[in-house]
Amino acid sequence: MEKSPYYLDQDQMDWVLETLKAMDTEQKIRQMFCTIAYTDNEDYLKGIADGQFGGLMCRTMKKEELIHLAAYLQSHVKIPYFIAGNMEAGMNQCCDTGTRVGCQMAIAATGNVENASKLGQVVGSEASALGMNWAFAPVIDIDMNWRNPITNTRTYGSDPETVASMGAAYVTEVQKHGIAASIKHFPGDGVDERDQHLVTSINSLDADTWMNTYGKVYQAGIDAGALTVMAGYIMQPAWSKKLNPELKDEDILPGALSKELLTGLLRGKLGFNGTIITDSSAMAGLGCAMSRKDALPKCINAGCDMILFAKNMDEDLGYIRTAIENGVISYERLDEAVMRILALKAALKLPQKAADGTLIPSQGKADAVVGCPVHKEISRQVADESIVLVKEEKGVFPVTPQRYPRILVYPKEGGETELAFGVESRTGAVVKRLRDEGFKVDVFKPSKGFEGIEAPMADVTDHYDLLIYVANLATKSNQTVVRLEWAQPMGADCPIFIHDLPNIFISLENPYHLADVPRIRTYINTFGSTDEILDVLMDKLTGRSPFKGQSPSDAFCGMWDTHLQ
């Protein structure tokens, strides 16, 4: 406890040991669970507080709701709670008025590691003001496979050096504010093209290559003092077999269940001494590996100290309880896990803050910090520095009403069902900005005829000066493929006018659409669609501001024809 990353003093260690000694087995079991909150409803919070769990993760709420949640929980529990959230792109993932600085790939596209520190600074100050203390971030996966459906813009790109330096910078800064960082998702996503939410996936690198890429990235985060690691449902067969040569293929387990990977590789080879938490235990990647009644105890025995979420809390508590009673989980291992949980709480000074009254957040401080003008300016600056002009047709810029008075916009967005899962329609916001600039803008609608009776080419070539595609398709869990789909008849909105008129393709979310529009001659990645990003985009299209970003991964998707003009 006195070593990295906890660095506890004698008083803090005494609190850990005395608290552990005073706990019965049931209290220890409950400390090992981090549950979830979608609301600050007091009936709901009472159940969580009465459960005396180790912590909870918050989904997006209003500022006042988060403050009420933190205040209620911390004033109704004996051992202070972890209050966590996904803080990858900013605080907007926890608080609806929190600052979205920029997704991690946007930060990487700026080419400036200082912006990763600024992301950590904004997250740290806003999270602290809201009474939160644990960031499930940064994502230090390496986006090696452009087809991966879940890493994508959540990562710092495909270059291990960039991922390592920016991940470490975030860790260093966010922890200055009393927020524990959680580097994730060990042993590393981004190689497979499958989603660990839905299936146990694979990091298929050989052991040496892994150590020179993911190993280097994790070592940088550990050396920066990361207090926690989140273990995923991703196998790493090479290291599993290197550490256990007798291991059969059918016995290889994903990170969160693998003693070889957690105890042998993470704690042994990489020297991590902090707290390990599973990724969401509700993921199918866990369920695919083995029966849940065996999987949860296996996570603890492999080296995980906490279990994130439950499928059914009473049932999941029972699985751990039974495993302890039957000797599957030893009391020594139980105490070790709980000691690391308590040591993390001590390292964050949660007991001291509870004693001096500073654990409860202040509405006034939150109002002054969350979404403040200084943080909004950082967001605007990141947007300005990150937008990437991947391909440029000579002479197409600047886009002004004098050069291109009539524009046809092709929207490439999901249907209503997809939009309901957090990807807001933004074509209208782009069209409005174009019209505000003085352009005459129409939005494409396919004709109803089929072969032989389709609308004539002249309907486009004679009536428009410029065609703009606006794609807004983001990767997300439970969706295994993010590719462009085209309208009937026969791909009516495909870019078939590239030989007749200037075309610009703008991707607001996914940086890899060139795979589906390889001959587009002008292609832009913005890595997001906030108002700040769209405002900056207009400045760049019209020539008021230069494009400054550099692709942090291969936007050409490894294909030769995507480079063609």
Side-chain angles (χ1 to χ4, degrees), residues 15 61 170 175 201 228 270 330 427 480-481 488 501 508 558 561:
W15 177 85
M61 301 182 198
Y170 178 102
Q175 291 192 169
S201 62
T228 74
L270 299 179
S330 69
T427 299
T480 55
V481 178
Q488 293 289 356
L501 293 169
L508 302 179
D561 61 332

Side-chain angles (χ1 to χ4, degrees), residues 400-472:
T400 64
Q402 292 73 35
R403 299 187 71 206
Y404 308 109
R406 304 165 301 175
I407 295 177
L408 180 62
V409 169
Y410 289 84
K412 301 305 299 176
E413 296 185 306
E416 290 184 6
T417 302
E418 291 182 14
L419 296 177
F421 283 91
V423 182
E424 182 183 357
S425 175
R426 296 298 277 165
T427 299
V430 174
V431 168
K432 181 182 184 303
R433 283 167 171 77
L434 289 170
R435 287 173 176 160
D436 289 345
E437 293 284 347
F439 298 98
K440 180 185 181 299
V441 184
D442 291 330
V443 178
F444 174 80
K445 293 182 180 179
S447 64
K448 295 180 180 180
F450 283 86
E451 293 95 327
I453 55 171
E454 291 186 49
M457 299 283 282
D459 279 4
V460 172
T461 58
D462 291 356
H463 293 90
Y464 299 101
D465 308 294
L466 174 67
L467 310 184
I468 295 180
Y469 285 82
V470 180
N472 192 35

Side-chain angles (χ1 to χ4, degrees), residues 100-111 115 153 155-156 166 382-383 385-387 526-528 533 549-550 552:
R100 182 193 188 276
V101 178
C103 68
Q104 289 188 191
M105 192 169 280
I107 301 295
T110 70
N115 285 325
T153 60
T155 74
Y156 288 117
M166 291 199 167
V382 167
E385 296 178 12
S386 64
I387 294 176
T526 71
F527 310 105
I533 290 171
Q550 298 294 321

